[in-house]
Amino acid sequence: MTVEHPSERLVSRYARGEVDIPADEVWAVESHLESCAVCRARLADVVEGSTAALVQAVWTDLEPQLTPKARPRWNPLRGLAGWTTPAMVPWLVMTTAVTLVALLFDRFARSPDNEVSVVLLLAPVLPVLGVAVSWAKALDPMHEIVASTPRAGLYLLLRRTVSVLLVVIPTLLFAGSGTSTALWLLPCLAFTTGTLALGGLVGVTRAAAGLIAVWAAVIIAPSVAMAQPSFALHHNGLPVWGALFVLGALVVAVRRGAYADLGAHR
């Protein structure tokens, strides 16, 4: 008994899924394929060829887009922008402006009897404000997306803190060129690590607000009232600031797991 096989054209049309094939022919082809290994092999060859052609067409369209382009030159400003949030940009500009105003006041408006340097008074709290702004949930429009990333804990917190210090410290270095660098640098670093350490307990924004309030009440107010630098702004206090800096860094390192939940430490 001679078996009649579907034509090559019909098998090809069936493999491509053409919808205008008569229903009785589709039924006949499918019934024949169930019992004919030769036609199933023919169908497999047609499908494989069609798939290969489709893949090649897609690859031809995508290849120009996937070809690596020449890597642009490293731009420090672009790199810094990747570490910051949109809310930090105006704050960093404001920080620079405030520091320059403090420098002008120290140079031209401060009376000879007044020994208090405005730059020294502001130096410890300027980076703290920046860290608070960079970590404020209400000011970060990308909070939900950032919170879902694998590095949303301490790694991201340190990145944003470093980006603040990279702007604040050079500005203060220029503004405080007439005074000992250690007098403002150590309090600056101590307050920053202190904010991060307390942030693991009460949230970074709350920790920053509390430390700024304490600094204003204990250091700024008495210094302005007496027109003399507070005890914390003398060289005798440098060992204390150094110890606080190290203590804060150790607390952050020991409690690094506390920053895993980004939303809980805002």
Side-chain angles (χ1 to χ4, degrees):
M1 181 177 180
T2 304
V3 178
E4 185 177 353
H5 300 281
S7 65
E8 292 288 345
R9 180 173 178 273
L10 182 57
V11 172
S12 299
R13 293 180 64 194
Y14 178 80
R16 291 194 298 269
E18 296 184 8
V19 297
D20 58 344
I21 304 176
D24 57 338
E25 293 186 17
V26 173
W27 177 83
V29 170
E30 291 178 346
S31 299
H32 180 79
L33 290 173
E34 291 180 358
S35 58
C36 182
V38 174
C39 288
R40 287 198 298 269
R42 291 168 55 200
L43 178 64
D45 292 338
V46 173
V47 171
E48 183 179 357
S50 301
T51 303
L54 177 61
V55 171
Q56 182 61 38
V58 173
W59 176 251
T60 302
D61 293 337
L62 291 180
E63 187 176 14
Q65 304 178 36
L66 299 177
T67 302
K69 298 181 180 179
R71 189 172 183 179
R73 293 183 178 180
W74 181 74
N75 187 332
L77 295 179
R78 186 184 296 114
L80 181 61
W83 285 40
T84 59
T85 65
M88 292 174 62
V89 176
W91 181 90
L92 293 175
V93 174
M94 181 197 68
T95 301
T96 304
V98 169
T99 306
L100 294 178
V101 169
L103 172 62
L104 294 176
F105 182 87
D106 282 347
R107 295 289 176 85
F108 304 107
R110 190 175 63 181
S111 63
D113 297 334
N114 190 345
E115 301 179 6
V116 180
S117 170
V118 179
V119 174
L120 285 180
L121 291 179
L122 296 178
V125 297
L126 286 176
V128 172
L129 285 172
V131 174
V133 170
S134 69
W135 213 246
K137 179 179 179 180
L139 297 177
D140 187 0
M142 302 294 291
H143 162 64
E144 288 78 9
I145 297 177
V146 172
S148 63
T149 60
R151 296 183 176 184
L154 180 61
Y155 174 81
L156 182 59
L157 177 61
L158 292 179
R159 278 182 58 147
R160 293 185 176 180
T161 301
V162 170
S163 66
V164 171
L165 293 177
L166 287 177
V167 175
V168 173
I169 289 182
T171 305
L172 291 173
L173 186 62
F174 169 75
S177 57
T179 59
S180 174
T181 302
L183 285 179
W184 59 263
L185 181 58
L186 279 179
C188 176
L189 296 177
F191 261 71
T192 302
T193 56
T195 301
L196 300 182
L198 291 177
L201 298 173
V202 300
V204 176
T205 304
R206 295 189 186 93
L211 288 178
I212 291 172
V214 170
W215 178 261
V218 177
I219 304 298
I220 295 181
S223 298
V224 173
M226 296 184 298
Q228 291 184 351
S230 171
F231 63 91
L233 301 177
H234 290 285
H235 284 86
N236 294 336
L238 292 181
V240 177
W241 288 119
L244 291 175
F245 167 61
V246 173
L247 178 62
L250 289 176
V251 171
V252 172
V254 172
R255 290 182 48 83
R256 56 185 176 274
Y259 303 92
D261 185 2
L262 181 66
H265 300 287
R266 283 279 177 159

